[in-house]
Amino acid sequence: MLFILFDIHSLKEGVPTMEIMEIYEKLFPLNRAVSGDGLRKTLEVIGDQIPLIITEHPSNEQCFDWQIPLEWNISDACVMDKQGRKLIDLGDSNLHILAYSQPYKGWVSKKTLFSHLYTLEDMPDAIPYVNSIYEKRWGFCLEHKKLTSFTDDEYYVMIDSSLAPGAISIGEAYIKGSSDKEVMLFTHTGHPSMANDQLSGILSLLIVYEQLERSKMELRYNYRFVFCPETIGTAAFLKHNMSHLKKNLIAGYTVTFTGDNCPLRYKRSFAGNSAGDASAQNAMRKDIIEDFSPFGSDERHFNSPGIELPVGAFMRAGPGGYREYHTSLDNIDTISENSLYSTASKVMATIRNLEADRSVKTIHMGFEPKLDKSKLYSTLGSGYSDNKLAHQILAIWRLGTRYGSLIKIADKLDQNAFDLSEALTKAVELKLVEIV
Amino acid sequence: MLFILFDIHSLKEGVPTMEIMEIYEKLFPLNRAVSGDGLRKTLEVIGDQIPLIITEHPSNEQCFDWQIPLEWNISDACVMDKQGRKLIDLGDSNLHILAYSQPYKGWVSKKTLFSHLYTLEDMPDAIPYVNSIYEKRWGFCLEHKKLTSFTDDEYYVMIDSSLAPGAISIGEAYIKGSSDKEVMLFTHTGHPSMANDQLSGILSLLIVYEQLERSKMELRYNYRFVFCPETIGTAAFLKHNMSHLKKNLIAGYTVTFTGDNCPLRYKRSFAGNSAGDASAQNAMRKDIIEDFSPFGSDERHFNSPGIELPVGAFMRAGPGGYREYHTSLDNIDTISENSLYSTASKVMATIRNLEADRSVKTIHMGFEPKLDKSKLYSTLGSGYSDNKLAHQILAIWRLGTRYGSLIKIADKLDQNAFDLSEALTKAVELKLVEIV
Amino acid sequence: MLFILFDIHSLKEGVPTMEIMEIYEKLFPLNRAVSGDGLRKTLEVIGDQIPLIITEHPSNEQCFDWQIPLEWNISDACVMDKQGRKLIDLGDSNLHILAYSQPYKGWVSKKTLFSHLYTLEDMPDAIPYVNSIYEKRWGFCLEHKKLTSFTDDEYYVMIDSSLAPGAISIGEAYIKGSSDKEVMLFTHTGHPSMANDQLSGILSLLIVYEQLERSKMELRYNYRFVFCPETIGTAAFLKHNMSHLKKNLIAGYTVTFTGDNCPLRYKRSFAGNSAGDASAQNAMRKDIIEDFSPFGSDERHFNSPGIELPVGAFMRAGPGGYREYHTSLDNIDTISENSLYSTASKVMATIRNLEADRSVKTIHMGFEPKLDKSKLYSTLGSGYSDNKLAHQILAIWRLGTRYGSLIKIADKLDQNAFDLSEALTKAVELKLVEIV
């Protein structure tokens, strides 16, 4: 087993102000796959923004039922007609090549060529994204409408790719808290030259990282940001981190499909009632909250039988949930900065809730305390809502034992849990409640 | 106690293709009551379609709090004016006679006659259906608007009926399964010359019988089809079958009011969580599902305190739920073949679910199995939903222990339980789950 | 500790027919505060309608965290300009004076005066209601638009008020039942010269009192009507009644904000499942039912930790829930007799439910009893709903053990519990159920 660990940045370096769409422009053209140099360059660009630790897992390593594939790299690929015109050219789009194509060079008949072409009849303008990681193939993907330009009976095919022992690469960043407990924010590194699936999750997590660090919050928990190839990368990650996560993970979230204009959704963990679920649900109480379902992206692996880590999912459209999914039309037009940032904002609210939550027990028994004595209530009675803080204090006192935690009180009050922190501190000072 | 048992058909005879509206035409004119020759002829017509076993229960037999009434038969009845014109004639409609009318012959004053007439002031074109099974009466039912044609002061009344010791008749048909456990499909034989109440349930059950037999399904359960007079017939049926049903019945359904154009509803058993409820609810998950209520038709008897058999109800409008109920307007115009067949289709889906359901336990622990090894997943990754069967297998695996049964997994997936049978078989083969 | 107890009326005196809006006219002009002669006159007017017992609690008495304030009375107050014109005059509106203002006489600069004026910039036509019970102040409240008429640089201020040891007054009326158990109907006596907050609750409770007495119901419970100053009065009331209420109170309701045109709401007690909640919820099943929230009026005190009496709340708009709240615009135009009476009607239905409720157990086991034997069912079968009483009896029988109480059966049937009383009596006579 080979581990390569290195820091791109020192953890002490300052974080530059991000221009999120500039980062997008750098990441979009890279030919990302579950392994290879496109993936490494992707992690390098992320590492320019936040201090990243890279772990590589070697080809052929067995991870549960899966085996890490050979590393795939590609430098050039095209299909030419007899006149030497390039009818398909990798230079035009990374999606033109069937990902993980074997190398190939030579003339083929039209019939043979067509058996290696992938198009979408009902989306004639779109290049589909197709891969063949676990079976040896070569092929090209193209717009269905272009098939009519293949009028010759023979074509020259050139695929300058390599499949060789190498590794898959996983990037991780940390923001440290005061306890051993950990919160994981996970996104997969995804596919080449598509915007929503999957640059959006990477971009939203970069925003979260910056905002969390700049918040100067005193953190109880360690925050682990994971940028990982989908499924096989997740298998490798889980193989090497399972016992640590089983012991320390108090909440985890996958963050993907965050750039489109569908409403943001929170999908609960399989357990459905973890601390992570409670924090996210409070943050998302005006949004869509869904029960766990066994389909989706990497969140399903974290929730598999016998793994069952408390990992929920933030997403908008989700896999297969929008027409442009897995095609060249999943480009800059499918995402917006606003969607990326507002996703990050809900993740931040979830983090603030995790940090703010406390178990609360009411200790003052009897009639409502007279809070104007403590200058918390105006002595001028002139209306109902004259003091938000005092109302929050009284609500925490009255609901404490029944609801048991700051988040559940906040849910009942239809407020953000983290907005109740000051009131909780005051309620404790006034000996109305205690934290247990 | 007298039992008369005979087979109209051998159980081995083939089932003819039914023309359901032809059967309707044969059944509609029969003067059905809770006993008598009209009922016997009804069972004969049913017996022409499916192999029926007839049981008769003699008059005066005590069944719980009820006593089987004398058998009522009627050959002719009319009301004539002084000129000998028949103002009311049984030949025009079976509904003209108050069911269970005593015989009567003689001249009566207009005032006396009118005290024996039943009309509906707010539905002047409708003949109401009225009976007097448990008190001696004679009477006629007619259209309210016709009362104005009674201008004489005296009328001749003729009712050629008989009330004599006889029996009530119950018809039953069976399709055998491999275990002792039983599923009951129950409809009452109802009233004369009305369509929805009650020929619709008879017709829908005939369709179910034919479809179930033709399906060539390997059945675990015995299917008992019961055609039974309402309430008193049900009391007799329960008296003689209670201990058998208590031991063997795993699910029962009353099927009535299935021909009108109201949406089909499933009404749960009193228990509400029987195997029969689960199967029906999955089949009806896009339709209306109602909690048990203490009103309705025979389903309430099966769910009475101390009886409490797991019997739910399929119905559309239900008793009293449509304007034409218990009048001559409940005719061919109130029902449609489509409603009859689509009811049968939901009952069939329920049966398929009963047969398909299994208790499931997840045994493969850890990361998602790699199903392309078993040729269940395409090795060509080109989109999310490339293999329905593989997705079903993974869902059964992931949800198995939590949801515990195929039906509950199907509910969660918003699919028919019986559509998951192949996936369950595969998941067992792959040692992902086991059936417990 | 000083207790003054006296009967305004003998309990035996008859109740006059109320003209509720005439009572309103008498109560509106009184300058009510949490103590003082305005409050005493208010109780006197109430006492003209129903037999009232007055309890007074002396100034400076400590009630939990609160202290009974000095008694405040005011005879005159105004602000004059140099020409002697009264720019503000208590004679125009009770709301012009900051409630609990200290006495004051003398010339002040415009700047000083303005620091003692209270207006609402966004409601320039409204005089706000402001008080300062727990801090020494003087001040005036006025329409914001009138500020422009203050053009002089000096003003003469006259406040002829007194703050001296006295008492706060609480009025109570009783209708006796046959057990020691008690139902409390509570309203606060509120503020001066505002209609919805708070004359509405007083008026609705007067209606309830009259209706309950006239109903000649045989009552199981004692009904205690409480007219009490808000918060500090409630603290005093609870101090002296807590052990009695803890032992005897089976249901309590605050009744306030009942005159506006918002829909009536029932807010559950903190426990949420008390007998009082069940009765109110059945009565309010077509209306709005809300879970307990820690904000509101006096209902929150009854539900405080360690107090937790089974007290719910009937209200319409509620505190802060309407624009005119705590201003001079909360006048006759904000309330209607219809709202006052329809609130009373729901409180009466709740009371009828409390009195009607019984624990029910099914004892007849087996098939449905034949109710025509008991003349409860017509022997003439002519439709589904021919006997409401018989259907109720059968429903009580069928649901008894499962639902356990008459109210829960009524909820299931979507009927008023008290409408099932006759059926319950019959079902007991017929030995179908027993009351446990």
Side-chain angles (χ1 to χ4, degrees), chain C residues 8 10 23 39 48 69 104 155 171 193 229 252 261 316 370 391 394:
Chain C
I8 293 186
S10 147
I23 303 169
L39 175 59
D48 287 339
Y104 194 89
Y155 297 88
S193 301
N261 62 5
R316 291 176 186 276
K370 196 160 183 303
H391 276 111
L394 292 175

Side-chain angles (χ1 to χ4, degrees), chain A residues 366 368 370 373 381 384 402 412, chain C residues 65-66 131 270 292 295 305:
Chain A
E368 183 170 297
K370 198 162 182 302
K373 290 181 183 174
Y384 178 64
R402 164 80 67 90
K412 173 72 184 161
Chain C
D65 199 22
W66 300 66
N131 67 45
F270 187 65
F292 179 78
F295 309 125

